[in-house]
Structure formats: structure tokens, C-alpha cells
Amino acid sequence: MVAFLGMGLLGSNFVRAMIGKGLQVQVWNRTASRAQAMEAYGAKAFENAADAVKGADRIYLTLKDDASVDEVLAAASAGLKPGAIIIDHTTTSAEGAAQRTRAWKERGFVYQHAPVFMGPANALEGTGNILVSGDQELISRLEPELAPFTGKVLNFGPEPGKAAAIKLMGNLFLVTFTAGLSDMLSLCKALNIKQDEVYALFNAWNPGAQVVPRLKRLTAGTYNEPSWELNMSRKDTQLFINAAAENGTHLAVIPAIAEEMDRWIAKGHGSEDWTVIAKDNIPA
């Protein structure tokens, strides 16, 4: 018997996958109709979180943020059975995940944060990635339960909150990647580049394959053998900005990058590799 709190697109498909694997699932959602809709798939819906978790050995969450997780768990706490394990798939702060791990342990319950790189389709199909960190003995017990619902469980070690931090890092990449694509499309509009021409380029040229090599170059800390000088990349960046301005389109990300390039050029790094703009940001 498991309970699932939060019937958004991700949570509802997780529930459908669980039912498909033979689990009995009790569900709750702030908007009751979303929970009730899951009864068509075999779930049992409840009007309040405390009733939804009664008798459940595992309580899964897919909510909005730290505040909603704390609020919903507080409301559910009266119904928790001794020994129940809370598994939280919500994207939250690292500090919040670590604090909840400590707080629920003090109350006699296990809280395991397990954020995901999964969309609704992944949740239904059992593909994607679940991230975990913290108590390694607990994780070794939970991994066989989590594995059927994902392509891979990625364990980032004993530090509570580390999985939350890794999820935020990945989401930052997705946000900047998508915002960069939006700026690129704005430039396409300015320069009368058609969609089929965009796809023709990217079907032949895959810059995604450059992520790991580019990371290695960024973190190597050597910039005196440039493959693309900062001065030259800044020149191209200005061409983007000028073309957009001349044709009435908007760039959201590129102007901020241009400012950062100018800052490093002013410090005397114009003839170095343009990855020097990451010099102060490289983690240990």
C-alpha cells in the first residue's frame, strides 16, 4: 500500500505506472478533482492528506516547492503509520531537503528526497533519472523499489541535500539552454531564417555533443591557447545584438552575456579563450 500526494502531470503518471505494476495507491491533491480522476485507473482518492496516507508504507510526493512540501506533510502527519517512509520527488532547495531529513528523523520517520529528471511521459514509461543522496543503507534498501519507475537511480553520496543541489544545477542548465534557443529563434526571425533551415542545420550539426568537452575546457583553467578568442566571440555577440535591434526582435539572454564578456575584456583577457568568463566560477 502506497500513498501519493500531488496529482499534477508528473504525479498522476507516476500513479498510473504504480498501478500498472500492481501497487495499491491512495491519492490526494489540493484540487480534489485531480485526485478523483485517478480512480478511473484504479487509485483511491481522499479529500484530505491525513486520510490518504493511512496504512501506507510509502508516501510519495510531487509538489511545487519547499513550502508546499512542508505544508502537505504537516497536514498528512496525523495519518502516518509507524515506520512509513516519505519519498519526495519535488524539486526543492538543498537546504530544505536536508532540514526535512533531520526534522522527520527526529519525529521518528524517514524522509528521503529523490528529485527526478523525468517528464510526464517518462513517469508513465519508467524512463528518466531519479537522484538520491543521504543515508546509504536506506538508499540501498529503497533503490530496488525506485528502479522500476525510472531508467536509472543516480546516487550522489551520503550528504542529505546533495541530490537537491544536483537537480537545481541540471535545471539551471535546462533553463539557460532553452532561453538560449529562444534568443536563437529571435535572431532567426530577425534574419529571415526559416524553421526548416534551422532543423536542416541541427540535423547535421549536434552541438549537444560538445557539452562534456566544453565543460572540460571551462574547468581546465587554461585560456592561453584559444580556439575562439574572447574578443572575437564578443564581436559575434554584437552582430547578434545589432541584427535583432535592426529588425525589431528581442534578445533576453545575449545582452547579459555581452556585459560579462566586456567585463573580462576590460580586465585584459580579450586575447584569451572566451571560456575565461567562467574562471571565477569553477568549483573545487
Side-chain angles (χ1 to χ4, degrees):
M1 175 73 72
V2 304
F4 212 113
L5 310 180
M7 291 295 98
L9 294 175
L10 189 66
S12 59
N13 275 2
F14 263 129
V15 168
R16 289 175 61 187
M18 288 175 170
I19 293 169
K21 290 178 170 58
L23 292 175
Q24 292 180 294
V25 189
Q26 301 178 166
V27 299
W28 170 90
N29 192 75
R30 193 183 306 274
T31 302
S33 60
R34 291 187 178 180
Q36 292 162 359
M38 300 310 298
E39 292 190 327
Y41 299 99
K44 186 174 181 180
F46 291 83
E47 291 186 3
N48 65 74
D51 287 338
V53 303
K54 284 181 179 177
D57 300 299
R58 302 287 185 267
I59 293 87
Y60 293 87
L61 309 173
T62 53
L63 300 170
K64 180 183 178 182
D65 52 20
D66 288 287
S68 61
V69 172
D70 289 337
E71 178 186 348
V72 170
L73 285 179
S77 61
L80 292 174
K81 67 180 284 187
I85 296 176
I86 301 162
I87 301 173
D88 183 9
H89 295 309
T90 308
T91 299
T92 69
S93 68
E95 180 182 359
Q99 186 277 329
R100 277 185 291 278
T101 302
R102 294 189 299 268
W104 283 97
K105 183 176 182 179
E106 291 170 359
R107 297 180 63 171
F109 295 96
V110 172
Y111 170 91
Q112 177 62 55
H113 192 230
V116 300
F117 283 117
M118 299 169 70
N122 299 116
L124 187 59
E125 297 164 359
T127 58
N129 295 288
I130 291 178
L131 317 181
V132 292
S133 66
D135 184 331
Q136 295 296 288
E137 182 180 352
L138 170 66
I139 288 170
S140 68
R141 287 196 286 124
L142 291 179
E143 188 168 358
E145 299 178 25
L146 296 174
F149 301 104
T150 182
K152 184 178 289 187
V153 178
L154 301 177
N155 185 348
F156 287 96
E159 181 184 336
K162 178 64 73 172
I166 298 291
K167 176 63 192 297
L168 292 178
M169 175 195 73
N171 276 11
L172 185 148
F173 175 82
L174 292 176
V175 168
T176 54
F177 177 70
T178 303
L181 286 176
S182 178
D183 268 13
M184 182 199 73
L185 291 174
S186 185
L187 182 64
C188 289
K189 190 175 182 180
L191 297 177
N192 197 31
I193 298 170
K194 306 302 183 184
Q195 285 190 35
D196 59 346
E197 295 168 329
V198 176
Y199 284 107
L201 172 63
F202 287 107
N203 283 330
W205 172 57
N206 177 20
Q210 299 177 26
V211 171
V212 172
R214 184 58 53 88
L215 271 174
K216 289 180 178 178
R217 189 171 185 90
L218 282 167
T219 57
T222 55
Y223 311 104
N224 57 357
E225 296 181 0
S227 62
W228 195 16
E229 287 187 359
L230 178 57
N231 282 328
M232 295 301 291
S233 62
R234 178 63 180 90
K235 178 267 297 182
D236 285 8
T237 302
Q238 193 60 46
L239 290 174
F240 313 152
I241 293 170
N242 292 347
E246 290 165 5
N247 292 278
T249 64
H250 173 70
L251 299 179
V253 176
I254 290 297
I257 295 173
E259 289 183 13
E260 185 67 5
M261 289 177 167
D262 288 341
R263 189 170 74 87
W264 282 92
I265 290 171
K267 294 197 295 184
H269 297 277
S271 62
E272 296 179 355
D273 193 87
W274 83 287
T275 55
V276 71
I277 65 174
K279 184 177 182 179
D280 293 340
N281 303 327
I282 299 171

